Amino acid sequence: MTTEIGRPRDRGIGDAVLRATVELLAECSYADLSVDTIAARAGTSKPAIYRRWRGKAHLVHEAVFPRTATTELPDTGSLEGDVREMLRRTLTVLSTPAALAALPGLVGEMASDPTLHTALLERFGDVLVGALTDYVDAAAQRGDIRPGITAADLAEAVAGMTFLALLTRGALLDGTWTERTARLITKGISP
């Protein structure tokens, strides 16, 4: 029998910290966000945050990109419909005020911090590797996707095009952009 030493960890603190992080990112930039400010808003301490997350970037990543239904793969009945829905969901996640504030800083930190990059892959690995690989393989067997296209190819096309469009056009992307981009990706991966 294992006995834990010390107080049990308060699960409410984690939720309060995640909520405070998202709220603060709607008010300030990633560069201006500090763990001190997050702790104060969440009603906790810096050590309590650092017991749960390695640092600001890991915390912000989890707060801004939670595992939700938007990470599940769509099944609309057609490849173009599925790609359109993937783009729509990606746009929804990346265009929140918190994501728009966090993305530039997170991209910079991911480029220089392999642990953050690894954490991203671990958090979404089952979706990006497992489910999306199965999806791409099944679509290739049906003849919807040409052989050689990988889950990484599709994920990078959807996320990359959405991210770049948000950077260059702002949060003003509409249904026309989604339709046109879905068609472009679908034609690119189709046989």
Side-chain angles (χ1 to χ4, degrees):
M1 182 172 158
T2 305
T3 305
E4 290 190 30
I5 299 172
R7 289 189 318 230
R9 188 173 283 181
D10 182 351
R11 293 174 194 224
I13 290 174
D15 292 339
V17 169
L18 293 170
R19 211 171 25 258
T21 302
V22 170
E23 289 170 3
L24 287 164
L25 281 168
E27 300 167 12
C28 69
S29 70
Y30 178 84
D32 293 334
L33 182 69
S34 71
V35 174
D36 282 327
T37 308
I38 296 167
R41 174 74 61 99
T44 192
S45 66
K46 278 175 58 173
I49 292 174
Y50 284 117
R51 279 193 295 274
R52 291 163 174 81
W53 292 277
R54 289 182 126 148
K56 180 175 91 168
H58 291 267
L59 166 57
V60 168
H61 182 266
E62 187 174 332
V64 173
F65 305 111
R67 295 284 313 254
T68 64
T70 59
T71 58
E72 295 173 9
L73 294 176
D75 182 9
T76 65
S78 74
L79 177 62
E80 188 169 331
D82 291 349
V83 170
R84 185 182 314 107
E85 182 61 17
M86 288 177 202
L87 282 163
R88 191 191 66 70
R89 291 178 185 182
T90 302
L91 182 58
T92 297
V93 170
L94 295 183
S95 62
T96 65
L100 291 171
L103 277 169
L106 284 176
V107 169
E109 289 205 35
M110 282 177 52
S112 64
D113 181 358
T115 64
L116 182 60
H117 186 258
T118 300
L120 175 133
L121 293 177
E122 286 175 2
R123 283 191 66 228
F124 293 101
D126 59 331
V127 175
L128 293 175
V129 177
L132 194 55
T133 296
D134 293 345
Y135 175 88
V136 168
D137 290 346
Q141 286 180 350
R142 288 190 311 270
D144 292 343
I145 294 179
R146 63 185 158 83
I149 298 296
T150 67
D153 295 333
L154 182 54
E156 289 169 4
V158 169
M161 291 177 90
T162 305
F163 181 58
L164 184 59
L166 281 168
L167 286 177
T168 59
R169 301 174 194 209
L172 304 173
L173 302 176
D174 59 9
T176 302
W177 176 86
T178 305
E179 289 292 326
R180 191 177 70 250
T181 306
R183 214 170 306 118
L184 180 66
I185 292 172
T186 302
K187 287 186 181 286
I189 63 176
S190 295

